[in-house]
Amino acid sequence: MSQRLFSILSMGAIALGSILPTSSAHAAPRTAQDDTLQIVMIDQTQLSASQRSAFQRYLQTASLPPTKIGKRCQYYGKPQVWCLILDPAVAEKVYQQLSSQSFGSLAEMKPVRRLRGGERS
């Protein structure tokens, strides 16, 4: 009986050894950052009058990168939420720039998943 158990375990180890390298090779692209974007946003309804004025001046003078999804970011149908959808490294820079402004405490950054095959600029 122990010889039979040893044979079964050996076959299992061989099968597992041949599966693991292939599955880990397939897993690497899935966890790559190219599937994840970041949304940087400010809900303008939460800004005071002076913060809103400062925010509008900032938008007029700042050199902001284009979004990864097109010209305008629509955040769940809330027109007062200003947002950019960017690559993670660029989003971090924009978030840091926003955070240093008088309205920066209201800046948020969250991950979003890309839609496969439906991206348009």
Side-chain angles (χ1 to χ4, degrees), residues 3-112:
Q3 184 70 5
R4 184 170 183 223
L5 180 60
F6 179 73
S7 297
I8 291 172
L9 290 175
S10 296
M11 289 186 327
I14 291 169
L16 188 59
S18 65
I19 292 172
L20 285 179
T22 336
S23 63
S24 66
H26 289 300
R30 286 182 160 264
T31 59
Q33 280 192 339
D34 64 338
D35 282 350
T36 303
L37 295 171
Q38 294 286 327
I39 184 170
V40 179
M41 63 188 133
I42 292 183
D43 186 349
Q44 296 182 75
T45 61
Q46 296 183 10
L47 297 175
S48 68
S50 64
Q51 287 176 321
R52 190 173 295 115
S53 178
F55 181 62
Q56 292 303 321
R57 278 193 309 275
Y58 175 81
L59 291 179
Q60 291 171 358
T61 60
S63 176
L64 296 170
T67 70
K68 297 298 284 186
I69 62 162
K71 299 292 181 197
R72 187 163 192 275
C73 173
Q74 296 178 347
Y75 185 72
Y76 303 113
K78 296 180 181 179
Q80 292 298 315
V81 176
W82 173 90
C83 58
L84 292 174
I85 296 179
L86 305 163
D87 288 323
V90 177
E92 182 63 35
K93 289 177 186 176
V94 170
Y95 177 75
Q96 292 302 320
Q97 288 174 358
L98 289 170
S99 296
S100 68
Q101 304 296 317
S102 63
F103 50 82
S105 63
L106 296 171
E108 294 182 60
M109 186 169 72
K110 297 179 183 179
V112 292

